[in-house]
Amino acid sequence: AYTGRSYAAVRVYGADGSPLTEPFEVGDRAQQRWPDVAMDEEGRFVVAWIRMGDTYNRPYGEFIMVRRFDADGTPLGKETALTDDLNSRWYGPSVATGRDGGFVVAWAIGPFPYDVCAQPFDSDGEPVTPPYIVNTCMDGDQGRPCVASDGDDDFLVVWDSHDPNGNGCSVCGQFCTETGDLVDCELT
């Protein structure tokens, strides 16, 4: 996935690296930014991105969007907004696939201070849980999340954690189950 003039686009390639499709837009509206993509063992893929709000008409704000595709690029449903609070800022969607087409999306929420959220989905794109806060450290700003699957249905979210006293930043992480449970304690 990549960002064009004001849209996120995808181009499907074969195992030998040859293009199988022309580039196509992942969403139905412009102002798409910062896409991330993950593919499962069957070649199906999920794209997550930020859709900027319409600056001339409501809604303002930003939305974390997601859309699933079959291996040939055929959409598996419509684009879906994961967020709808127009008073918040959303950053850095990251997506990872699990077994059988399930997936998880992680993102940062603000305004200051920022926290990291995640939401798992089943193979039909239905939410397994509501979005939840992943970080347990609430001091400073948490941002730039990246999520990875264990190839099953559990996942690891890592992110930047900025010290509130200006003493730099570190990388933190949290293991999560497919049902949204936090496993053990936050990694630093």
Side-chain angles (χ1 to χ4, degrees):
Y2 63 92
T3 303
R5 290 183 174 217
S6 66
Y7 59 88
V10 170
R11 187 171 195 180
V12 179
Y13 291 86
D16 64 357
S18 61
L20 301 178
T21 68
E22 292 297 318
F24 58 91
E25 296 180 32
V26 297
D28 298 329
R29 297 183 66 176
Q31 301 300 328
Q32 303 163 14
R33 300 284 188 265
W34 305 294
D36 192 37
V37 64
M39 184 173 60
D40 69 14
E41 293 175 352
E42 302 298 320
R44 297 172 296 215
F45 58 96
V46 179
V47 180
W49 69 95
I50 291 179
R51 181 179 65 79
M52 308 301 283
D54 185 341
T55 57
Y56 301 105
N57 301 302
R58 288 203 64 82
Y60 303 106
E62 303 155 341
F63 302 86
I64 300 294
M65 306 295 292
V66 67
R67 192 171 198 178
R68 300 176 310 118
F69 295 88
D70 208 345
D72 64 1
T74 302
L76 298 172
K78 295 183 178 200
E79 63 182 65
T80 302
L82 304 186
T83 57
D84 62 4
D85 177 4
L86 300 180
N87 296 315
S88 294
R89 300 287 312 252
W90 316 98
Y91 294 98
S94 178
V95 62
T97 57
R99 181 176 37 126
D100 300 328
F103 62 96
V104 63
V105 180
W107 64 92
I109 177 178
F112 302 102
Y114 292 101
D115 288 313
V116 174
C117 297
Q119 186 172 20
F121 295 84
D122 65 20
S123 60
D124 294 323
E126 294 297 320
V128 174
T129 70
Y132 59 91
I133 302 289
V134 174
N135 56 289
T136 55
C137 173
M138 299 298 174
D139 293 333
D141 290 329
Q142 320 303 316
R144 297 187 184 182
C146 187
V147 63
S149 171
D150 66 357
D152 199 8
D153 289 323
D154 297 330
F155 52 96
L156 170 67
V157 181
V158 296
W159 63 91
D160 290 348
S161 180
H162 297 266
D163 184 278
N165 300 317
N167 295 325
C169 107
S170 60
V171 176
C172 294
Q174 179 67 59
F175 287 102
C176 305
T177 68
E178 67 177 316
T179 57
D181 296 320
L182 305 181
V183 179
D184 296 325
C185 59
E186 187 174 296
L187 308 169
T188 56

